[in-house]
Amino acid sequence: IEAVAVGEADITCTTLDGTAISKKIHVKVEPLTVKKINLNYRQLYDFNGDTATPAYESGVNVGDTYQLKADSYTPSEAVNCYVGKWVSTDESVATVDENGLITVVGPGTCEIRAYTSDEKYYSSCSVFVNPEKLENIQVSYTHSSATFTWDAQPKMYGYRVYRYNTTTSAWELEKEIQDSSTTSYSSWNLSMGTEYQYYITPYLKRWDFNGYSHIYEGPSDPITFKTYAESVLTNVKTQYNSVLLTYNIFFLLHYSQL
């Protein structure tokens, strides 16, 4: 059976041995429709290749716009060679209008999808929007430790804490926090009377088809402080016949009254 036009027909098969056995088959020929949309962008982010070491890449920025369009359709002879609708999987990250114009509105990740007119198939463009700078970073410190707090960025993968190494003159990753709801971090075993520099950045992570990770970090200003040169008395209170002295080395000294 060969389909030659759109429509319906009955095909009857009959035996030739005199038994007059026959079978009717109903055939419906539908129009050839699009099975795949080939977009001009498959992703909106810098791509440094698939490597085993974490690749630091850059996404797009809030306020950017991109025109997404269909370059071709498969099969090309289909009757519905046009995009039926455009959809963003997260409009708090990026929106798309009826003409495929993408507007980046917030940090995070999403997909922009182009659906066929019958909505049976779609092609997508992945969007990674660079994290924004952390807000309200606070630091408190003693002679041997420092604690940082900040406002959460809920759409992030987590946060990365860097410390400047004065020996190597390089920033080194001290801690990767894989939880965007965590808003504090403490660094211990610092030296007395020493100046330190840190920076804390939110980040996104993408895995390629080989399972390798790609990092998207936000901007950050260095946080500079100097630990106390000696332990500092932070609290004094009396209790019964004793004086409790609280030091920032996190233990209590008990002195009996005379």
Side-chain angles (χ1 to χ4, degrees):
I1 299 173
E2 180 182 359
V4 295
V6 176
E8 299 184 34
D10 290 328
I11 306 296
T12 302
C13 303
T14 305
T15 60
L16 300 176
D17 60 359
T19 58
I21 298 173
S22 65
K23 179 69 175 179
K24 183 183 292 186
I25 302 172
H26 184 75
V27 179
K28 182 178 181 180
V29 181
E30 296 182 341
L32 187 63
T33 57
V34 170
K35 301 297 187 292
K36 181 181 179 182
I37 301 173
N38 303 300
L39 299 173
N40 59 325
Y41 292 113
R42 291 183 60 190
Q43 67 273 328
L44 292 179
Y45 52 82
D46 291 339
F47 180 63
N48 291 335
D50 296 342
T51 60
T53 56
Y56 292 86
E57 299 179 343
S58 177
V60 297
N61 296 309
V62 174
D64 290 348
T65 59
Y66 297 88
Q67 182 62 60
L68 200 59
K69 63 180 181 179
D71 279 342
S72 62
Y73 300 88
T74 303
S76 59
E77 64 271 22
V79 297
N80 60 334
C81 288
Y82 59 91
V83 175
K85 68 176 181 179
W86 299 92
V87 174
S88 170
T89 59
D90 190 340
E91 292 192 339
S92 68
V93 175
T95 61
V96 61
D97 68 10
E98 66 276 9
N99 299 312
L101 180 64
I102 300 171
T103 302
V104 181
V105 296
T109 65
C110 72
E111 281 187 353
I112 303 299
R113 296 176 178 177
Y115 282 84
T116 57
S117 61
D118 55 12
E119 298 187 15
K120 292 182 178 179
Y121 305 95
Y122 69 85
S123 295
S124 61
C125 172
S126 299
V127 181
F128 278 72
V129 184
N130 289 321
E132 296 182 328
K133 184 185 297 185
L134 283 180
E135 298 292 337
N136 196 29
I137 298 179
Q138 304 290 330
V139 57
S140 59
Y141 52 89
T142 69
H143 71 294
S144 62
S145 67
T147 297
F148 305 89
T149 61
W150 56 85
D151 291 344
Q153 285 198 20
K155 291 184 178 294
M156 297 298 100
Y157 190 83
Y159 309 95
R160 292 161 70 88
V161 181
Y162 289 86
R163 185 167 78 181
Y164 188 74
N165 188 322
T166 56
T167 302
T168 61
S169 299
W171 290 97
E172 297 179 351
L173 179 65
E174 179 170 303
K175 180 67 174 180
E176 183 172 301
I177 303 170
Q178 299 181 6
D179 181 3
S180 64
S181 65
T182 298
T183 57
S184 66
Y185 171 72
S186 294
S187 183
W188 304 92
N189 300 318
L190 303 182
S191 299
M192 281 187 174
T194 303
E195 185 174 279
Y196 288 93
Q197 278 192 308
Y198 285 77
Y199 76 82
I200 306 171
T201 175
Y203 75 100
L204 297 170
K205 184 177 285 190
R206 177 181 66 84
W207 283 268
D208 58 38
F209 291 111
N210 294 318
Y212 302 140
S213 63
H214 300 255
I215 305 297
Y216 300 81
E217 292 185 342
S220 179
D221 296 325
I223 305 161
T224 303
F225 63 91
K226 187 175 182 179
T227 56
Y228 292 122
E230 57 186 15
S231 57
V232 177
L233 181 65
T234 59
N235 186 41
V236 178
K237 69 176 181 178
T238 60
Q239 182 177 350
Y240 303 110
N241 63 342
S242 297
V243 177
L244 305 182
L245 305 179
T246 306
Y247 284 78
N248 63 5
I249 52 178
F250 303 108
F251 60 81
L252 299 178
L253 299 181
H254 295 256
Y255 290 91
S256 295
Q257 293 178 335
L258 296 178

